[in-house]
Amino acid sequence: MKQKHIIFYFFILLFFYFSTIPASAQRVAYRFTQHYNERVELFEQLDDLDSTKVVMLGNSLTENAVNAGDWNVLLRTKNVINRGISGDDALGITSRLIQILPKKPKAIFLMCGTNDLSHHLTAEQVFEKCKGVIDSIRSGAPETRLYVQSLLPINENFGRWKNLKGRTDDIPVVNEMLRQYCEEQQITYINLFPYFTNRHNNVLVRFLSVDGLHLSKQGYRIWAEHLRPYVLEAEKE
């Protein structure tokens, strides 16, 4: 009987110990790809995030802004932190929010969903996963201003991304569900999609991309041009 009591109290003590560890001291348990792990480890070592910063949060589209001068250069500011990871999806982003939300950044600009589409999910399933990320950010950092960016289009004519074959017209469907949800929740939604397509279809304009998915330098300049007013708005608050 005494041994059972000892074991019981041991687990009680463990519970209280782990429940009192600050979120900022926690480590990302989710492990996705080698690149994901390397970026997560890098973010754990950096000390560049605080309540004055604006976070660009997303996948390779966000990360690869470094190839165009990085976000501070593109947006002509100095308080933007790049937290993009190539290949990341909604689960991966949610798993590493513990690196971001405890720091209470001034704003988060979220873009996710494209890689979830490549997992053969329906448009509605992708929206639900993105919604989960949105809800996690709002509940974990209610004072942080959240901006949800639309998914960007793709161009299947490059023949590069087989897992996105046939998904061109699903992207605006996801975007519309995101727009409606953001409107209901009074979250700022930024519709970037039309600036990257021709009027008559949902295809990413060829010269704005390097491979049918990722953007050229010109593509990043267009993105930044339409994002900058929102970033300036966030920085002033």
Side-chain angles (χ1 to χ4, degrees):
M1 183 65 70
K2 289 183 179 180
Q3 184 177 6
K4 290 183 179 179
H5 285 165
I6 291 172
I7 294 173
F8 173 77
Y9 287 116
F10 173 73
F11 281 108
I12 289 293
L13 288 171
L14 279 181
F15 171 80
F16 282 108
Y17 172 75
F18 285 108
S19 65
T20 57
I21 296 177
S24 58
Q26 295 180 27
R27 293 174 60 87
V28 179
Y30 180 65
R31 288 294 180 251
F32 185 26
T33 64
Q34 180 177 348
H35 181 69
Y36 180 95
N37 298 339
E38 290 171 353
R39 291 284 283 177
V40 164
E41 292 297 328
L42 172 63
F43 298 155
E44 287 179 350
Q45 296 169 17
L46 293 176
D47 187 26
D48 59 351
L49 184 52
D50 57 39
S51 61
T52 68
K53 297 301 191 296
V54 171
V55 177
M56 295 292 295
L57 180 59
N59 51 38
S60 58
L61 290 165
T62 299
E63 179 183 352
N64 290 350
V66 295
N67 299 327
D70 210 348
W71 287 111
N72 283 308
V73 174
L74 289 164
L75 295 166
R76 305 194 299 281
T77 187
K78 59 182 179 180
N79 295 312
V80 178
I81 302 296
N82 190 333
R83 287 296 185 268
I85 298 183
S86 180
D88 210 357
D89 55 16
L91 178 58
I93 291 174
T94 302
S95 299
R96 57 191 178 90
L97 288 178
I98 59 173
Q99 293 183 324
I100 299 171
L101 302 187
K103 302 297 182 69
K104 300 180 180 179
K106 184 177 287 288
I108 293 175
F109 285 77
L110 172 68
M111 180 184 284
C112 74
T114 302
N115 287 321
D116 295 278
L117 273 175
S118 73
H119 300 334
H120 309 293
L121 302 176
T122 66
E124 185 172 0
Q125 288 172 327
V126 171
F127 160 71
E128 289 294 333
K129 287 184 174 294
C130 294
K131 175 178 173 293
V133 180
I134 293 169
D135 293 344
S136 294
I137 293 173
R138 295 195 80 194
S139 62
E143 296 180 1
T144 294
R145 183 71 181 268
L146 176 60
Y147 296 81
V148 175
Q149 304 169 92
S150 67
L151 278 66
L152 297 183
I154 59 175
N155 188 325
E156 296 184 49
N157 294 325
F158 281 80
R160 175 79 182 273
W161 307 100
K162 304 303 182 183
N163 287 339
L164 287 170
K165 184 176 181 180
R167 307 312 303 265
T168 293
D169 293 331
D170 287 325
I171 293 175
V173 177
V174 175
N175 284 340
E176 178 57 20
M177 286 188 281
L178 284 173
R179 184 197 66 77
Q180 290 182 15
Y181 185 69
C182 288
E183 183 177 322
E184 293 169 1
Q185 300 297 316
Q186 298 183 321
I187 301 169
T188 302
Y189 174 76
I190 305 173
N191 188 15
L192 299 166
F193 188 87
Y195 304 114
F196 291 86
T197 61
N198 296 313
R199 293 183 179 179
H200 62 280
N201 60 34
N202 296 318
V203 178
L204 174 60
V205 175
R206 192 173 186 88
F207 77 89
L208 297 181
S209 179
V210 296
D211 57 10
L213 173 61
H214 301 103
L215 299 181
S216 63
K217 290 184 178 180
Q218 179 62 21
Y220 277 104
R221 284 194 287 270
I222 291 175
W223 187 352
E225 174 188 346
H226 294 286
L227 207 63
R228 189 167 189 269
Y230 296 98
V231 173
L232 293 179
E233 171 190 84
E235 289 180 334
K236 289 178 181 178
E237 293 186 356

